[in-house]
Amino acid sequence: MKLKKKIDLVSFIKKVKECESEVCLVTEEGDRLDLKSALAQYVLVTLSKQETLLENSEIICSLEDEKQLADFLERR
């Protein structure tokens, strides 16, 4: 799944914290960042300033968490 453009990152991060399973951002280079980590959240905010990097990244999570994050995700 990809993140929708121009989402409210604060709201997204709050929803990620509510998820039961791991929610990861996988970059184009294959880096895997656990978005429940404060450091990974900081990286996400930094990446949001570079739209092409964020657009080429993917969100990986369980099907249950995907439903919870649906407002922020788009299908490929």
Side-chain angles (χ1 to χ4, degrees), residues 10-65:
V10 173
S11 296
F12 174 68
I13 291 170
K14 285 179 182 178
K15 277 291 188 191
V16 166
K17 289 180 180 181
E18 295 174 11
C19 291
E20 294 293 323
S21 302
E22 185 177 75
V23 178
C24 291
L25 175 76
V26 180
T27 66
E28 188 175 32
E29 292 81 24
D31 297 318
R32 188 178 181 104
L33 304 171
D34 180 357
L35 293 179
K36 289 188 177 184
S37 155
L39 179 59
Q41 292 167 6
Y42 176 78
V43 171
L44 174 66
V45 171
T46 303
L47 285 177
S48 72
K49 307 270 188 240
Q50 302 173 24
E51 289 183 22
T52 55
L53 289 175
L54 196 56
E55 288 173 3
N56 293 326
S57 298
E58 189 171 345
I59 299 293
I60 306 293
C61 61
S62 71
L63 288 176
E64 292 173 6
D65 291 338

